[in-house]
């Protein structure tokens, strides 16, 4: 099949492109022209030859999408600005996440043979649910709690009303396989929070399997790693800090305000899409390959550790307050 992937060189996007090509599809990649994206484009063009084409462009421009969507049988729309970046560019994020999605849907509708349309959404749309018994089910009510969830819910609603053959994937937490800067948001999440992880390759497999499935259309799906990937934030964070040689951080550094994430009922998506191949520990090992410091730095870690921990803790407003109280 001919498949357009927007946000093709992002985290889930690139796993999707790789899996689609592995399954024999012809893929058009649309993304912004940045250095890291160019590197991925070269890699995939080397590997897949003529079955992959790359189009650089901004989804805020309808003509960019008109060119990208032409002749495609399926559109996988993943391009978006996510937390935490979204909070620093709210206007741009609205244009990309909402107007960009509107552009993609409108252009798809205008095709002589409109393509099927898969929209990448997030489990965040369930809002704060930690006070409810898990897991979240696809029939649970949704609740916008910030700009990101508002944008995703708007995208979902537009697509359902579009008249296109649609499907919506609400993804669990998919850590990227690549360097990720340390951000204060890591302290905002209470340590007890239920969190469901998903390996990026499994996310890509779910999307690629959906493209040739007859069962996914007209429905919303919860896409997570399944019971073996249902952990607490504390488990994930401490394992990551351990493999990075930093060690766990004090409890007082973490907040207590509820955070949008939860365990999901993925029994139906797994039955139809057969994508859950990696366990929590495999996710940690693969993410650590990129997140962990290089061997020479790791050797020095026992010495560097106190400095690194101090720098990290400086990012926590909760830790700063606790320190001020005890001073
Ligand atoms: O104006 C923009 C902004 C971003 N991007 C691209 O969009 C992609 C976003 O990817 P990334 O930031 O790595 O996020 P993912 O983790 O892959 O996010 C996926 O999963 C999220 C749910 O977890 C969904 O909200 C997203 O739509 C879906 O892409 C990247 O390639 C960006 O270059 C654009 O094409 N245009």
């Amino acid at each position: 099949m001919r498949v357009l992937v927007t946000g093709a060189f992002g985290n889930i996007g690139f796993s999707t492109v790789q899996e689609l090509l592995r399954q024999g599809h012809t893929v058009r990649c649309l993304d912004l022209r940045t250095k890291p994206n160019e590197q991925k484009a070269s890699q995939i063009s080397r590997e897949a030859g003529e079955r992959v084409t790359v189009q650089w462009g901004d989804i805020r421009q309808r003509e960019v999408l008109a060119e990208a969507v032409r002749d495609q049988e399926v559109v996988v729309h993943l391009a978006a600005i996510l937390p935490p970046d979204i909070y620093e560019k709210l206007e741009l994020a609205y244009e990309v996440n909402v107007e960009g999605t509107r552009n993609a849907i409108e252009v798809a509708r205008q095709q002589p043979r409109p393509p099927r349309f898969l929209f990448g959404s997030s489990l965040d749309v369930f809002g704060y649910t930690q006070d409810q018994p898990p897991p979240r089910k696809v029939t649970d009510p949704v609740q916008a709690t910030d700009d990101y969830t508002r944008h995703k819910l708007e995208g979902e609603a537009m697509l359902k009303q579009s008249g296109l053959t649609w499907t919506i994937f609400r993804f669990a937490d998919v850590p990227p396989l690549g360097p990720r800067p340390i951000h204060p948001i890591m302290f905002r999440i209470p340590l007890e929070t239920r969190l469901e992880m998903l390996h990026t390759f499994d996310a890509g497999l779910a999307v690629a399997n959906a493209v040739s499935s007859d069962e996914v259309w007209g429905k919303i799906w919860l896409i997570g790693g399944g019971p073996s990937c249902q952990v607490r934030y504390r488990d994930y964070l401490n394992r990551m800090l351990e493999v990075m040689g930093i060690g766990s951080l004090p409890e007082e550094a973490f907040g207590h305000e509820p955070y949008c994430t939860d365990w999901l009922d993925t029994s139906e998506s797994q039955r139809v899409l057969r994508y859950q191949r990696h366990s929590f520990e495999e996710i940690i090992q693969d993410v650590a390959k990129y997140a962990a410091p290089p061997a020479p730095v790791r050797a020095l870690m026992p010495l560097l550790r106190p400095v690194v921990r101090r720098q990290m803790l400086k990012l926590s407003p909760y830790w700063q307050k606790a320190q001020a109280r005890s001073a």
Side-chain angles (χ1 to χ4, degrees):
M1 254 184 263
R2 293 182 303 278
V3 186
L4 167 69
V5 181
T6 74
F9 302 118
N11 171 25
I12 297 181
F14 199 52
S15 299
T16 297
V17 169
Q18 288 176 305
E19 186 57 37
L20 284 167
L21 289 166
R22 209 171 288 130
Q23 294 190 10
H25 298 286
T26 300
V27 182
R28 185 175 291 167
C29 301
L30 175 63
D31 211 320
L32 296 173
R33 186 166 210 153
T34 64
K35 267 267 146 353
N37 287 353
E38 277 181 335
Q39 279 165 4
K40 286 184 183 169
S42 310
Q43 179 196 329
I44 206 73
S45 300
R46 263 196 317 274
E47 285 168 13
E50 286 179 356
R51 282 197 301 117
V52 66
T53 50
V54 175
Q55 185 188 329
W56 300 116
D58 187 330
I59 61 164
R60 291 177 298 164
Q61 294 163 357
R62 200 167 278 198
E63 59 280 12
V64 165
L65 279 157
E67 192 186 333
V69 171
R70 195 179 311 128
D71 298 330
Q72 299 303 297
E73 294 164 282
V74 181
V75 171
V76 173
H77 178 46
L78 300 173
I81 299 181
L82 277 66
D85 295 351
I86 188 172
Y87 305 121
E88 272 123 52
K89 31 188 149 174
L90 290 178
E91 257 174 59
L92 173 66
Y94 180 83
E95 287 170 20
V96 172
N97 295 355
V98 179
E99 295 306 330
T101 299
R102 195 189 314 282
N103 284 341
I105 291 171
E106 281 308 314
V107 163
R109 290 179 63 199
Q110 286 159 11
Q111 301 305 304
R113 296 194 58 182
R116 294 175 165 193
F117 199 109
L118 184 152
F119 176 57
S121 185
S122 165
L123 71 85
D124 291 17
V125 298
F126 288 120
Y128 304 129
T129 56
Q130 294 285 319
D131 58 345
Q132 294 166 36
R136 302 279 59 78
K137 292 181 185 298
V138 80
T139 48
D140 282 1
V142 292
Q143 185 201 13
T145 50
D146 66 355
D147 288 72
Y148 179 58
T149 45
R150 243 188 311 281
H151 296 173
K152 285 295 169 195
L153 286 170
E154 229 176 291
E156 291 190 4
M158 276 192 276
L159 183 57
K160 284 195 271 184
Q161 288 156 16
S162 66
L164 291 168
T165 301
W166 60 271
T167 186
I168 292 165
F169 277 23
R170 291 183 184 156
F171 290 107
D173 198 315
V174 184
L177 301 184
R180 198 157 45 161
I182 290 167
H183 191 280
I185 202 170
M186 68 175 277
F187 296 106
R188 152 88 177 76
I189 310 169
L191 289 168
E192 282 310 307
T193 305
R194 292 187 298 270
L195 189 70
E196 179 153 345
M197 315 292 299
L198 174 65
H199 197 294
T200 183
F201 294 164
D202 292 353
L205 180 61
V207 176
N209 287 350
V211 162
S212 32
S213 160
D214 289 332
E215 279 192 70
V216 294
W217 308 102
K219 291 182 194 152
I220 299 176
W221 300 87
L222 303 186
I223 309 291
S228 79
C229 295
Q230 293 175 343
V231 296
R232 301 273 169 179
Y233 178 53
R234 180 196 306 280
D235 305 324
Y236 172 57
L237 186 71
N238 285 348
R239 280 295 287 126
M240 284 308 299
L241 291 170
E242 191 184 313
V243 294
M244 289 166 78
I246 296 168
S248 57
L249 295 168
E251 303 262 329
E252 305 92 288
F254 294 86
H256 297 282
E257 293 295 306
Y259 194 81
C260 294
T261 189
D262 210 336
W263 296 342
L264 302 174
D265 178 354
T266 57
S267 50
E268 194 54 12
S269 66
Q270 170 64 358
R271 183 186 69 74
V272 170
L273 295 167
R274 298 273 157 221
Y275 62 99
Q276 293 169 345
R277 298 205 173 154
H278 294 82
S279 66
F280 171 64
E281 196 47 42
E282 287 166 325
I283 295 172
I284 295 289
Q285 291 307 328
D286 283 358
V287 173
K289 277 185 212 151
Y290 297 88
V297 180
R298 255 201 327 270
L300 288 174
M301 212 49 190
L303 285 173
L304 295 175
R305 211 170 113 119
V307 185
V308 174
R309 289 170 63 86
R310 219 175 304 129
Q311 289 304 324
M312 285 182 85
L313 288 169
K314 268 195 193 154
L315 297 176
S316 162
Y318 313 98
W319 178 250
Q320 299 302 330
K321 265 192 211 140
Q323 292 300 290
R325 266 198 309 272
S326 63

